[in-house]
Amino acid sequence: MRVIISILFILAAANCFAQKVYYELDMKMDGTHKLYTDEITNIWGFSFRAKEGEIPLTLPSPTLTATEGDTVVVMVVNPSNEGHTIHWHGLDVDQANDGVPHTSQYVLHGDTFTYRFIAPHAGNYIYHCHVTTTLHLMMGMYGSFIVYPKQGNNFLYENGPSYEKDYAFLGSELDKSWTDDFKEGGALNEFSPTHFLLNGLEKNQLFDDSTQIIQLEKGKRVGLRLLNIGFSIHRYTFPSDVTALVYTSDGRKLPKPFLVNTLELYPGERYGIILSSSKNVTDYIEVDYLDMYNKAQQSRNYIGINSENFPLLSSEKLFEPKPFISPNPASDFIRLNELPSNNVMIYDSKGKLVDEVSPQINIDVSRLKSGLYFLWVDGQKLPFVKS
Amino acid sequence: MFINRGILQIENQLVKVTQFNYNTIFDTVEAYPSVGAADTLMLTIFNNTSTNQSIFFEHTNSAKEVNPKSFAKVAVWKMPGKRTVPFYSANKTQKYLGLSSAIIFNNSNEKAFFWNLREYDESINQQYFEGANLNFSNYIPDVFTINSKVHTIYKANQMAMVLGNVGDSIYIDILNSGLMFHSVHFHGYHVKIIESNKSNEMIGWDKDSFPIDPGELISVLLVPHQPGLYPVHDHNLKAVTIGGNYPGGMIAMLKIEP
Ligand SMILES: [Cu+2]
Ligand SMILES: [Cu+2]
């Protein structure tokens, strides 16, 4: 009996601090989205429920936030013609709130449903529809869900590193032939992306919206939250003057923070990172989209760091897929997918030239010490790891 | 153990494969021998195909040759700090056709499950059995299997069902036998990544989504904190289809009782 009483007391005490966050969302299939080519295509998604009138859909759907320990209550209303759900990706909610049609529930046309769960760990999460997921998700039914620690919105986690300001980039892709006019029924395995997005934006759009440009002051720290809800691997390459220290992944603290030059996010993964620099930098983070058949590059976006302008290079050069190198890490040879036209240079991580080889497909790296290097191939910098 | 050729019927697709079976005639249950952690496995491999087979074992870093209609014997022991010994055909085509599995070393009181992930572009399998040289340049797989079975809208994959209770230590050994990169997403739980046969910086991390590269075997530890019926699936959503339809393919289920 005493045990029960003390458990009740603990629960009551915990409740005193826990807040409740409440959201109301509409599930809709009537949105439009402007691509970087200025073309308009269709999207589906979630929008905040307006008291009066209607709030149009955005790509991605709005970011939801909560504080660690909060009870999150989300009421959804579905006026659209198909059933939808919300899966709280990474929040490990109970089965009834998991948003999988066969094991949880559908929110059918005209229905409402209230999701209820506790946000147990600070970190980066995603919410998305789990009905015919390959299609509904691709159509835009996803958004970021950020859980801040109780300490405040300028920490990655409780007693973790602090930052001045944080930025979240949710990567995804869309296939315009699907969003323009998709006839349901089969061939969902043949998804072939035509647009490669960060927060729904691509290429120059990421510079037209100043909130997407990272403001990083010398000696100060910025929080970077990276999320992948696409069908591809997203590879982030950081400029050499910026220190990127990775602290969390999938809403959990890592055993040890580690420094990265490049970081790959596979579909569904998330990371929490602190950026800093001892210099005044004006540069870009490169974001490459690699397919999951053989990691071939499909496209690249740039995130500006104190850079207001889209990189000043001719557009053809910019979007040319860079030579694909494999294996990476390599022990003996690196193979390029095409014969380079110039000598290939190998630089170490400090920028020192360690080798120069005549144009050839197979680059001998057997004599290098293990570590991070850069291969310069026809003016492009390709990081690789010698194992 | 036998190397057999046969046809997997997966929904409406017929996929011609080569696989490791416990049976002298082809069946759809793939062999993945489970051995006590202190034991040495004496394995006899019979080759029922008409092709010379060369089977590579990771504990010795060497291959065993098995001639057609002949057999070979291999001793397999636990490598220190490793739960598994992956073995597969040294020939890329034979491996693609299904010759890739693992031996699991596990204490008998621990719950352990094995998921062998593989994808097929059924037209390529067909080409092989018609004697053509394989061309992977237009590889668009449409069959995504776990332990040679798929999840469908009608029925979960019974070969990929994890049963356990809240608080159990459940080991799941996941092998990517296919050519594609996959991303495994757990509903309901985070799991601890405990080992990999490749260099993998994620050892010791708690993850709900993680990469598994071709040829990689990742072991994870699941200690469920809540009961429930939850899917685990490839988050490259092309792979959760069968014949292009959702849901299907690379989906496993966790059934956790209180
Ligand atoms: Cu939906
Ligand atoms: Cu998800």
Side-chain angles (χ1 to χ4, degrees):
Chain A
M1 195 54 175
R2 193 183 297 155
V3 175
I4 294 170
I5 290 169
S6 54
I7 288 171
L8 285 174
F9 179 76
I10 292 165
L11 287 174
N15 267 334
C16 295
F17 301 101
Q19 302 279 319
K20 193 162 121 179
V21 283
Y22 183 70
Y23 288 107
E24 286 185 12
L25 297 173
D26 283 327
M27 300 168 143
K28 297 191 296 199
M29 300 170 74
D30 61 356
T32 56
H33 179 73
K34 192 176 180 181
L35 300 167
Y36 83 102
T37 50
D38 283 342
E39 294 163 297
I40 306 284
T41 193
N42 304 312
I43 53 163
W44 305 347
F46 308 95
S47 64
F48 288 131
R49 208 171 157 67
K51 289 227 167 60
E52 271 173 56
E54 212 196 318
I55 298 171
L57 287 178
T58 54
L59 186 69
S61 297
T63 298
L64 309 182
T65 62
T67 301
E68 190 168 273
D70 280 355
T71 298
V72 181
V73 181
V74 183
M75 205 263 286
V76 293
V77 180
N78 180 9
S80 81
N81 288 328
E82 288 189 34
H84 304 288
T85 63
I86 295 182
H87 167 56
W88 306 96
H89 181 111
L91 283 152
D92 299 345
V93 304
D94 63 21
Q95 187 187 327
N97 287 285
D98 193 39
V100 176
H102 296 282
T103 53
S104 311
Q105 58 22 291
Y106 266 108
V107 188
L108 297 171
H109 163 73
D111 273 0
T112 72
F113 185 82
T114 301
Y115 292 95
R116 198 180 295 267
F117 55 90
I118 288 169
H121 292 274
N124 309 316
Y125 303 91
I126 298 164
Y127 69 100
H128 64 80
C129 180
H130 216 289
V131 176
T132 318
T133 322
T134 314
L135 176 64
H136 287 217
L137 189 146
M138 198 280 328
M139 289 299 297
M141 303 195 82
Y142 54 82
S144 301
F145 190 107
I146 311 289
V147 180
Y148 290 102
K150 291 195 185 77
Q151 254 174 326
N153 291 8
N154 58 330
F155 289 87
L156 282 183
Y157 52 89
E158 202 73 16
N159 300 318
S162 67
Y163 49 77
E164 306 280 314
K165 189 172 190 289
D166 62 341
Y167 296 82
F169 290 93
L170 174 60
S172 62
E173 301 96 33
L174 70 79
D175 179 342
K176 189 167 172 292
S177 69
W178 286 25
T179 52
D180 279 353
D181 179 24
F182 187 75
K183 309 272 186 296
E184 274 194 58
L188 290 175
N189 60 312
E190 290 173 17
F191 171 74
S192 169
T194 56
H195 290 271
F196 300 86
L197 311 172
L198 283 175
N199 294 339
L201 304 172
E202 187 173 14
K203 306 192 197 288
N204 54 296
Q205 290 176 316
L206 284 156
F207 292 85
D208 299 342
D209 174 353
S210 64
T211 65
Q212 308 296 334
I213 297 165
I214 296 173
Q215 306 296 332
L216 176 64
E217 282 177 55
K218 175 180 164 182
K220 298 271 170 69
R221 287 188 290 195
V222 150
L224 182 65
R225 301 169 181 278
L226 302 180
L227 310 94
N228 180 354
I229 194 60
F231 294 58
S232 305
I233 298 162
H234 301 165
R235 179 191 284 159
Y236 289 75
T237 304
F238 297 94
S240 52
D241 285 341
V242 171
T243 301
L245 200 46
V246 184
Y247 282 92
T248 71
S249 182
D250 295 1
R252 296 294 185 276
K253 203 174 123 177
L254 299 180
K256 236 192 245 162
F258 65 97
L259 280 170
V260 285
N261 286 78
T262 65
L263 184 65
E264 288 182 353
L265 274 74
Y266 280 50
E269 289 192 282
R270 294 92 59 208
Y271 280 96
I273 300 162
I274 295 287
L275 299 182
S276 61
S277 181
S278 55
K279 296 181 183 160
N280 289 311
V281 277
T282 307
D283 214 324
Y284 304 92
I285 299 172
E286 298 168 358
V287 187
D288 292 323
Y289 295 75
L290 314 177
D291 80 32
M292 304 216 32
Y293 295 125
N294 54 13
K295 281 198 171 180
Q297 188 178 15
Q298 305 168 101
S299 188
R300 174 183 290 178
N301 273 321
Y302 291 86
I303 299 171
I305 298 183
N306 305 324
S307 299
E308 309 290 327
N309 298 308
F310 196 45
L312 285 172
L313 294 167
S314 80
S315 54
E316 301 93 285
K317 180 147 174 71
L318 197 57
F319 304 130
E320 221 171 47
K322 65 187 183 184
F324 174 59
I325 61 174
S326 66
N328 191 359
S331 50
D332 303 311
F333 282 92
I334 281 188
R335 193 176 159 80
L336 305 174
N337 71 341
E338 57 181 78
L339 188 66
S341 10
N342 302 297
N343 280 1
V344 172
M345 323 279 217
I346 304 175
Y347 291 88
D348 69 14
S349 61
K350 294 190 182 74
K352 193 172 143 246
L353 180 67
V354 291
D355 204 353
E356 178 172 356
V357 287
S358 57
Q360 52 193 284
I361 290 266
N362 290 310
I363 310 294
D364 183 356
V365 296
S366 59
R367 281 159 302 147
L368 300 177
K369 278 187 238 152
S370 57
L372 177 76
Y373 294 86
F374 295 97
L375 219 54
W376 272 93
V377 185
D378 295 337
Q380 297 183 73
K381 182 171 128 182
L382 313 172
F384 76 93
V385 172
K386 159 73 196 218
S387 57
Chain B
M1 199 171 66
F2 301 85
I3 299 174
N4 289 332
R5 253 183 205 154
I7 297 175
L8 287 181
Q9 178 167 6
I10 292 174
E11 291 295 279
N12 300 323
Q13 335 268 107
L14 297 176
V15 189
K16 294 190 177 172
V17 301
T18 310
Q19 11 183 86
F20 296 112
N21 288 152
Y22 293 123
N23 243 320
T24 185
I25 49 167
F26 178 82
D27 72 17
T28 58
V29 178
E30 281 193 270
Y32 56 97
S34 183
V35 189
D39 296 343
T40 294
L41 173 70
M42 294 306 299
L43 188 63
T44 308
I45 308 171
F46 293 86
N47 180 1
N48 288 338
T49 70
S50 52
T51 314
N52 286 326
Q53 301 289 357
S54 172
I55 309 300
F56 188 88
F57 285 83
E58 287 196 356
H59 70 307
T60 52
N61 261 319
S62 64
K64 268 277 178 224
E65 307 301 323
V66 204
N67 295 327
K69 315 297 171 198
S70 165
F71 66 90
K73 284 183 189 285
V74 197
V76 188
W77 55 87
K78 187 178 183 304
M79 293 185 279
K82 298 278 183 197
R83 293 177 45 77
T84 59
V85 174
F87 62 96
Y88 40 84
S89 172
N91 175 291
K92 185 188 167 185
T93 300
Q94 296 300 324
K95 187 180 177 194
Y96 165 77
L97 292 169
L99 287 185
S100 168
S101 187
I103 294 147
I104 315 294
F105 289 87
N106 199 67
N107 293 316
S108 55
N109 57 341
E110 286 168 349
K111 287 190 177 160
F113 297 86
F114 177 64
W115 294 338
N116 197 352
L117 313 183
R118 193 179 279 126
E119 77 285 331
Y120 293 110
D121 180 336
E122 173 263 319
S123 63
I124 287 181
N125 296 50
Q126 189 63 35
Q127 284 167 31
Y128 173 78
F129 288 96
E130 284 165 5
N133 280 330
L134 294 197
N135 177 5
F136 286 98
S137 64
N138 192 26
Y139 180 58
I140 302 180
D142 51 357
V143 176
F144 299 88
T145 61
I146 302 178
N147 298 341
S148 285
K149 296 275 196 305
V150 294
H151 181 102
T152 71
I153 191 162
Y154 309 108
K155 200 167 190 269
N157 180 346
Q158 300 303 310
M159 298 302 290
M161 192 67 99
V162 166
L163 305 172
N165 293 87
V166 171
D168 281 354
S169 289
I170 302 170
Y171 293 87
I172 309 174
D173 302 299
I174 311 167
L175 173 64
N176 180 357
S177 291
L179 301 176
M180 277 180 77
F181 296 79
H182 294 293
S183 187
V184 179
H185 173 57
F186 275 72
H187 282 230
Y189 312 97
H190 276 61
V191 294
K192 194 177 283 298
I193 298 186
I194 54 172
E195 62 186 66
S196 165
N197 63 335
K198 308 265 176 194
S199 69
N200 186 323
E201 72 280 5
M202 291 183 186
I203 308 294
W205 296 17
D206 293 309
K207 297 276 285 172
D208 60 69
S209 308
F210 54 87
I212 181 161
D213 288 354
E216 186 166 19
L217 198 161
I218 290 184
S219 301
V220 302
L221 175 61
L222 165 66
V223 184
H225 65 285
Q226 61 182 352
L229 183 62
Y230 291 100
V232 178
H233 62 85
D234 190 352
H235 220 289
N236 171 7
L237 298 173
K238 291 179 195 180
V240 288
T241 60
I242 176 66
N245 294 301
Y246 178 96
M250 246 173 225
I251 302 178
M253 295 299 295
L254 309 174
K255 192 176 181 194
I256 306 299
E257 306 283 355

